[in-house]
Amino acid sequence: YVIDEPDARGFAYGTLPGHPASGEERFAVRYEPKTDAVYADVSSFSRPATWWSKLGGPFVTVFQRIIAKRYLRGI
């Protein structure tokens, strides 16, 4: 979906069937008119969706954290 609000813009997307995780990621930029500040918001949630991703539990979590840090660096 698209975020199109007066002081915020962004998008979010969810995983497709067959993906090893079931979840969503959201990226937005928000403007705070009172302070003239601009914020980047990144949020996500997921859970294992396949038997093999459930077995990989701790490794999947580490991989997700690495990807999240790359997203933040990109912003």
Side-chain angles (χ1 to χ4, degrees), residues 24-64:
E24 180 180 293
E25 293 183 329
R26 179 182 187 269
F27 304 88
V29 176
R30 183 172 43 91
Y31 172 65
E32 182 61 49
K34 292 179 185 176
T35 61
D36 211 29
V38 177
Y39 298 94
D41 294 325
V42 178
S43 61
S44 66
F45 61 87
S46 67
R47 66 174 187 252
T50 61
W51 66 267
W52 52 270
S53 63
K54 290 175 186 175
L55 281 177
F59 299 106
V60 172
T61 301
V62 169
F63 181 71
Q64 287 176 326

